[in-house]
Amino acid sequence: MKKESALIVGSLAFDDLEMPSGVFNDVLGGAATYASITASLLTPVRLVGVVGNDFPAAVLEDLKKRGVDTAGVEHADGKSFRWRGKYADDLMSRTTLDTQLGVFADFRPKIPAQFKRTPFVLLGNIHPALQLEVLAQMDRPKLVVADTMNFWITGEPKLLGEVLKKVDLLVINDEETRDLTGIHNIVKAAADIRKRGPSRLIIKRGEHGALYFDDTGMFFAPGYPLEEVVDPTGAGDSFAGGLLGYIARVGDVDHQTVRRAMYFGAAMGSFCVEGIGPKRLLEVTPKELAERMKLFTALVDTGGPVALND
Amino acid sequence: MKKESALIVGSLAFDDLEMPSGVFNDVLGGAATYASITASLLTPVRLVGVVGNDFPAAVLEDLKKRGVDTAGVEHADGKSFRWRGKYADDLMSRTTLDTQLGVFADFRPKIPAQFKRTPFVLLGNIHPALQLEVLAQMDRPKLVVADTMNFWITGEPKLLGEVLKKVDLLVINDEETRDLTGIHNIVKAAADIRKRGPSRLIIKRGEHGALYFDDTGMFFAPGYPLEEVVDPTGAGDSFAGGLLGYIARVGDVDHQTVRRAMYFGAAMGSFCVEGIGPKRLLEVTPKELAERMKLFTALVDTGGPVALND
C-alpha cells in the first residue's frame, strides 16, 4: 500500500433536508465534503473548494484531523453553497426545493502549488469549464476521475465533451448515462461513452450497485442491502471518494484495483445512507470498515468456482 | 454430480406477445415450460401440468428428447391456457390484455406413482390449494421450492400461508415480497417471510439480480447486463428452473450449492430474454452455457480478496 494522495475538487455546502423522519437544517453537505470524508479513511486527501463566511472553522479543523489537507479551500466573502431538498417517503426519489450557489457562483478553482503533482484526481460535479481549469493546472496525474450531472449534460454538452476527452474514469449514474447518450441499454450506452474519451466508466445504480467498463470487460459490484436507510444524500459522492481513496492507497490503476475499489466505494455509500448527512460517515472506525468489507465478501461468496465440472 | 431428478409443476401455455418489435401469436409459454427447458439443461426433469387438444404433440416430444419426462402432463378436452400481454417500449413493464385459463381452470395435479419420490420439487405459480395437493402426494422431498404471485397473495392469503409453512425455499420478486409483507425494506421483508415458514428465500429483482436469505446470512447474484433484450417473458421461470436444475444436479441443499445455483438461474434468465418466448433457450448448447458462466465469473471477479491489508 503506497497511500498516495488524492485531490478532490468540488462543493462544500449546507443542506436542508426534508426527510420522511423530519426536517434537518444546516446539515454539512457538498460532493467534495462527502468524498473527502470517505477518501480520507483510506489515503491522504487534498481538498479544493470554496466556503463562505458562514462555514464553521471547526468543520475544516475536523477534516484536517482526518488527513484532509484543506490548503485548497478558499474562503470567500458571502454565503456557502446551500441546497434544500425533499425526499419521497420511500427515499427513492427527491425534489430540489431551493439552490443558493452563494460563493460557489464565482468559484474558480486554484490548485495550490504543492497540490499540482497529486497523482489521483477527482473532479467533482462542477461546471465542466472549471473541471478543465483544474486539469490545466495539474501535472500529469496517474488517474483522473470525473463526475457530472444532468444539468451540465443538457446545458454544456460541448464543454462536457472536452472534459470527457481528458478524463480516465467517468463515474455517473444510470439516468445520467441515458441522458448523455440517448441510449436506453446500459451496455450500449457505456460503449458509446467510452468512445468519447474515458477509457474507463462506472455507472452507479444506487442500491442496485455499480457497473464498471474498461478494455478488459465488464465488472459488477453490488450495493449492500441494508435494513435501515436514513438519508441517501451524498451516497454517490461517498462512493466516488471511497473508490478513489482505495485506488490512491494501492497506488496503481490496474483494472483489478479498480474492481476492488468499487467495493470500498459501495461500503462508504452504505455507511453514508445510515445517518442524516455525513453523521454516520464521520463516526466510521477502521474496525467498522473492515467488518463491513467482511459482510460484502460474505454477500458474494460462492465458496468456490461457479461452473459445471462434468 | 448426482443428477437427481427435479419435479416441476405448473402451467403449459400459449402466449400472444405484443412487443415493441411486433406482435407474436401462439408463442409457447407457461411457467412450467420455461422451468422445464432450463432445468433439463442440468438434470433430468419430471413435468406435471395440463394441456388442451390444441397443444402440439411435437412440443412434448421435443421436451422428452431434452430429458423431460412428460408422464405427468395431462391431456384434457378443451383449449390450453393462453395469456396475451403488451410490453412497454423499454420492456420494463407489461400489461395483461387477456387470460384464458382453458383446461387449466379445472386442473388438479396428479403426481404419477413413479414421480412421488422425486427429491427436488418446484411448485410453480398455481393456486396455493393445488400446491398443497402436490405436496400431499410427494414422498419426503429433499427440497421444495415454490413460486407465487400477487393474485394469490391478495386472493388466497390463508391458503398461501399454509403453503409457506411447507416449503423450504420461496422464490418471488421484490414487488411480491412487498405485497406479501407490507414492508418496503427488502431485508426486513425477507426476515418477516422467513418467520412464516420457508427457511430459505430468494427475492428476484429482474435485471438487478437476486438476493438469497437463509440461516447463514444473505447472498447476492447479479443479472448479466445484456446488450440486447428481446423479450422478458419467462425469465423468472427460467431462473427458477436453472436454480432447481443445478441444485438437483449437485444433489445437496447446502447453502453454497444454492448460492452457485443462483448464477445458473441468472444465466438461464439471461438466455431467455435474448429471444421471443423460449426460442433462444431451446437453442442453448452446453458449450454456450459454459461460456455464459465464464462471462458471469468475469463479471464479479476481483482477482483476489477485497480487504485492507495494512
Side-chain angles (χ1 to χ4, degrees):
Chain A
M1 298 289 169
K2 297 182 190 166
K3 290 201 179 180
E4 298 191 359
S5 290
L7 181 91
I8 294 172
V9 186
S11 58
L12 297 97
F14 291 112
D15 292 338
D16 299 323
L17 306 171
E18 300 192 10
M19 311 303 297
S21 54
V23 176
F24 301 85
N25 290 319
D26 302 316
V27 176
L28 179 62
T33 309
Y34 282 102
S36 295
I37 294 169
T38 57
S40 65
L41 282 161
L42 298 162
T43 214
V45 171
R46 295 166 173 178
L47 178 58
V48 174
V50 62
V51 296
N53 308 319
D54 53 352
F55 204 84
V59 169
L60 296 176
E61 279 307 313
D62 181 56
L63 287 174
K64 274 187 211 170
K65 282 182 197 145
R66 292 169 178 275
V68 179
D69 186 335
T70 60
V73 178
E74 185 190 340
H75 295 258
D77 195 26
K79 288 196 171 178
S80 299
F81 184 24
R82 182 175 288 267
W83 177 77
R84 185 173 191 94
K86 182 178 169 64
Y87 279 85
D89 280 349
D90 62 4
L91 300 176
M92 298 299 280
S93 63
R94 67 185 188 191
T95 314
T96 292
L97 300 176
D98 191 29
T99 303
Q100 297 288 337
L101 289 176
V103 296
F104 203 68
D106 298 317
F107 176 51
R108 299 288 294 274
K110 286 170 276 299
I111 311 299
Q114 71 274 25
F115 283 10
K116 288 178 192 283
R117 295 205 122 183
T118 314
F120 297 92
V121 177
L122 174 60
L123 301 173
N125 165 29
I126 56 177
H127 195 296
L130 302 188
Q131 293 180 319
L132 290 170
E133 284 185 18
V134 171
L135 286 184
Q137 295 172 67
M138 298 303 297
D139 187 4
R140 285 167 299 156
K142 282 191 198 174
L143 186 80
V144 176
V145 180
D147 187 8
T148 191
M149 71 187 290
N150 293 348
F151 188 71
W152 310 122
I153 290 169
T154 313
E156 295 287 355
K158 205 174 158 190
L159 276 170
L160 182 59
E162 292 304 308
V163 172
L164 292 184
K165 285 179 194 155
K166 297 190 175 180
V167 307
D168 304 299
L169 170 58
L170 183 69
V171 181
I172 56 180
N173 68 32
D174 41 10
E175 196 190 330
E176 289 154 359
T177 302
R178 287 169 178 144
D179 284 353
L180 182 56
T181 61
I183 299 170
H184 183 80
N185 181 277
I186 285 291
V187 182
K188 284 184 185 167
D192 181 83
I193 290 172
R194 291 183 59 226
K195 276 187 206 146
R196 302 185 196 193
S199 62
R200 301 155 185 250
L201 171 67
I202 288 175
I203 300 175
K204 297 175 289 180
R205 311 187 91 175
E207 63 166 333
H208 294 300
L211 281 164
Y212 171 61
F213 300 84
D214 69 11
D215 288 343
T216 68
M218 185 164 52
F219 174 74
F220 175 81
Y224 197 82
L226 294 167
E227 277 199 51
E228 295 282 357
V229 174
V230 175
D231 173 16
T233 310
D237 303 313
S238 299
F239 175 92
L243 176 91
L244 189 69
Y246 180 79
I247 295 171
R249 181 186 179 96
V250 175
D252 72 50
V253 297
D254 185 79
H255 76 105
Q256 286 186 325
T257 301
V258 178
R259 287 170 170 231
R260 290 175 205 158
M262 285 174 70
Y263 274 94
F264 285 88
M268 299 303 179
S270 75
F271 283 123
C272 176
V273 303
E274 289 181 330
I276 294 291
K279 186 173 185 299
R280 175 73 181 97
L281 279 179
L282 290 167
E283 297 164 357
V284 173
T285 63
K287 193 175 163 222
E288 283 180 320
L289 177 58
E291 280 164 7
R292 185 65 50 103
M293 297 318 296
K294 274 189 196 165
L295 286 178
F296 262 105
T297 301
L299 180 71
V300 296
D301 178 21
T302 55
V306 179
L308 297 181
N309 300 319
D310 55 1
Chain B
M1 299 288 172
K2 299 181 190 167
K3 290 200 179 182
E4 298 191 359
S5 290
L7 181 92
I8 295 173
V9 186
S11 57
L12 297 97
F14 291 112
D15 292 338
D16 299 322
L17 306 172
E18 300 192 9
M19 311 303 298
S21 55
V23 176
F24 302 85
N25 290 320
D26 303 315
V27 176
L28 180 62
T33 309
Y34 282 103
S36 294
I37 295 168
T38 57
S40 65
L41 283 161
L42 298 162
T43 215
V45 171
R46 296 166 173 177
L47 178 58
V48 175
V50 62
V51 296
N53 308 318
D54 54 352
F55 204 84
V59 169
L60 295 176
E61 279 308 311
D62 182 55
L63 287 174
K64 275 187 211 169
K65 283 183 197 146
R66 293 170 178 275
V68 179
D69 186 337
T70 60
V73 178
E74 184 190 341
H75 294 260
D77 194 24
K79 289 197 170 178
S80 299
F81 184 26
R82 183 174 288 268
W83 175 79
R84 186 174 190 92
K86 183 179 169 63
Y87 280 84
D89 279 349
D90 63 3
L91 300 176
M92 297 300 280
S93 63
R94 68 185 187 191
T95 314
T96 291
L97 300 176
D98 191 29
T99 303
Q100 298 288 337
L101 289 177
V103 295
F104 203 69
D106 298 317
F107 175 52
R108 299 289 294 271
K110 285 170 277 299
I111 310 299
Q114 71 274 25
F115 283 10
K116 288 180 192 282
R117 295 204 122 184
T118 314
F120 297 92
V121 176
L122 174 60
L123 302 173
N125 165 28
I126 55 177
H127 195 297
L130 301 188
Q131 292 180 317
L132 291 170
E133 283 184 19
V134 171
L135 287 184
Q137 296 172 67
M138 298 304 298
D139 186 5
R140 286 168 297 156
K142 282 191 198 173
L143 186 79
V144 177
V145 179
D147 187 8
T148 191
M149 70 186 292
N150 292 348
F151 188 72
W152 311 123
I153 291 169
T154 313
E156 296 286 356
K158 205 174 159 190
L159 276 170
L160 182 59
E162 291 305 308
V163 172
L164 292 183
K165 285 179 194 156
K166 296 188 175 181
V167 306
D168 303 301
L169 170 57
L170 183 70
V171 180
I172 55 180
N173 69 32
D174 42 8
E175 196 190 330
E176 289 154 358
T177 303
R178 286 168 178 145
D179 284 353
L180 182 56
T181 60
I183 299 170
H184 182 79
N185 181 278
I186 285 291
V187 182
K188 285 184 184 167
D192 181 82
I193 290 172
R194 291 184 59 229
K195 276 186 205 148
R196 303 185 196 193
S199 62
R200 302 156 185 250
L201 171 67
I202 288 175
I203 300 175
K204 296 175 290 180
R205 312 186 91 175
E207 64 166 332
H208 294 301
L211 281 164
Y212 170 62
F213 299 85
D214 70 10
D215 287 343
T216 68
M218 185 164 51
F219 175 73
F220 175 82
Y224 196 83
L226 295 167
E227 277 198 53
E228 294 284 356
V229 175
V230 175
D231 174 16
T233 309
D237 303 313
S238 299
F239 176 92
L243 176 91
L244 190 68
Y246 180 79
I247 295 171
R249 181 186 180 95
V250 175
D252 72 50
V253 297
D254 185 79
H255 77 104
Q256 286 186 325
T257 300
V258 178
R259 286 170 172 232
R260 289 174 207 161
M262 286 174 69
Y263 273 93
F264 284 89
M268 298 302 180
S270 76
F271 283 123
C272 176
V273 304
E274 288 180 332
I276 294 292
K279 185 173 185 298
R280 176 71 181 99
L281 279 179
L282 289 167
E283 298 164 357
V284 173
T285 63
K287 194 175 162 222
E288 282 179 321
L289 177 58
E291 280 164 7
R292 186 65 49 104
M293 297 318 295
K294 273 189 197 166
L295 286 178
F296 262 105
T297 301
L299 180 71
V300 295
D301 178 20
T302 54
V306 179
L308 297 180
N309 300 318
D310 57 1

